[in-house]
Amino acid sequence: FSLALPLWGSLMRYKSAQELMVYGCILWGAVTFMLSMTTWWEMQVVLRFLVGAALASVNPLGQAIICDVVPEHERGDAFGLMQGVSAGLSMAGGF
């Protein structure tokens, strides 16, 4: 997961954060679908690494989008809301 963060950061020089977020989510969905179809454990290991690389785009790119869209004096509230919703959904996913 952490090894893919510099990749997404360096790609932001060439593409917008919104565009990279779309690519990351499409990659995440496609690789997750392929992961559900495979029966070989070797392929599952490779695909899980790719899922991690795709998921590495979501949080930092989401923060970059917030910085682009939200005015500076409202960013604290926006980041708090983003992290609160993320934590709440993580907890709710266990049920």
Side-chain angles (χ1 to χ4, degrees), residues 34-53:
M34 289 188 294
L35 187 59
S36 72
M37 298 300 206
T38 186
T39 56
W40 299 336
W41 71 270
E42 297 93 347
M43 185 58 78
Q44 286 186 359
V45 170
V46 170
L47 291 174
R48 286 194 185 263
F49 277 112
L50 289 174
V51 166

Side-chain angles (χ1 to χ4, degrees), residues 9-84:
S10 64
L11 287 175
M12 283 183 63
R13 285 188 228 155
Y14 308 107
K15 300 284 185 185
S16 69
Q18 293 90 346
E19 195 174 348
L20 287 175
M21 178 72 91
V22 169
Y23 294 150
C25 289
I26 289 172
L27 179 65
W28 176 23
V31 174
T32 300
F33 178 74
M34 289 188 294
L35 187 59
S36 72
M37 298 300 206
T38 186
T39 56
W40 299 336
W41 71 270
E42 297 93 347
M43 185 58 78
Q44 286 186 359
V45 170
V46 170
L47 291 174
R48 286 194 185 263
F49 277 112
L50 289 174
V51 166
L55 280 174
S57 71
V58 175
N59 198 25
L61 290 174
Q63 292 173 355
I65 291 170
I66 286 176
C67 286
D68 289 343
V69 174
V70 178
E72 190 172 336
H73 64 280
E74 296 177 8
R75 284 187 192 153
D77 293 335
F79 281 119
L81 179 64
M82 179 180 155
Q83 296 304 321

